[in-house]
Amino acid sequence: MIQVSKYLDNVYVLQDRAMSNAILVIGKKRALLFDAGCGMDNIKEMVESITDLPLLVILSHGHFDHIAGSCQFDCAYLSSEDRVILEEYDDELINIWLNELSEKSNVIKLS
């Protein structure tokens, strides 16, 4: 359920159902995904439908709606300064966020 908007020949905005945006830039030898969305949709599958180039995933910061989709990739990079944010996450907090994102995006609320 990812919407794709093409801005330039090699630049795409991928928006998941929670309105989280990721930017895909396609170069000549590899592609860059900047942020990975909230993880509710298969962003990896969408990226692979656009390009088959080797992919570098860079996360702008540690907020859930920017990093949760990174679990779909073999590797994603996040600044060490933002890793402290990850220590605050637990199952209860993640479920709260998923429920809030679901409510905002008019999808079935997760339990």
Side-chain angles (χ1 to χ4, degrees):
M1 195 162 168
I2 293 178
Q3 291 185 310
V4 177
S5 299
K6 187 173 183 179
Y7 282 88
L8 298 170
D9 285 340
N10 63 335
V11 178
Y12 299 80
V13 174
L14 287 65
Q15 186 176 73
D16 62 25
R17 72 177 94 185
M19 309 296 279
S20 297
N21 291 322
I23 309 297
L24 177 64
V25 180
I26 300 173
K28 292 182 180 180
K29 295 183 180 181
R30 64 180 65 181
L32 167 71
L33 182 65
F34 189 70
D35 285 339
C38 72
M40 294 174 70
D41 298 302
N42 192 334
I43 193 166
K44 181 179 182 186
E45 184 178 271
M46 183 57 70
V47 168
E48 289 173 345
S49 75
I50 297 170
T51 183
D52 61 356
L53 290 173
L55 184 67
L56 176 64
V57 180
I58 302 288
L59 307 171
S60 62
H61 62 282
H63 288 158
F64 179 77
D65 58 330
H66 294 262
I67 68 166
S70 66
C71 66
Q72 299 171 24
F73 300 96
D74 293 334
C75 183
Y77 294 91
L78 176 68
S79 168
S80 59
E81 294 176 13
D82 265 52
R83 291 178 190 223
V84 68
I85 294 172
L86 302 179
E87 295 171 6
E88 299 173 10
Y89 297 164
D90 60 20
D91 288 345
E92 182 180 349
L93 184 57
I94 290 171
N95 282 327
I96 289 169
W97 285 333
L98 285 173
N99 286 329
E100 288 174 358
L101 290 171
S102 296
E103 289 170 356
K104 288 179 185 176
S105 62
N106 297 320
V107 297
I108 297 172
K109 189 173 180 179
L110 303 172
S111 57

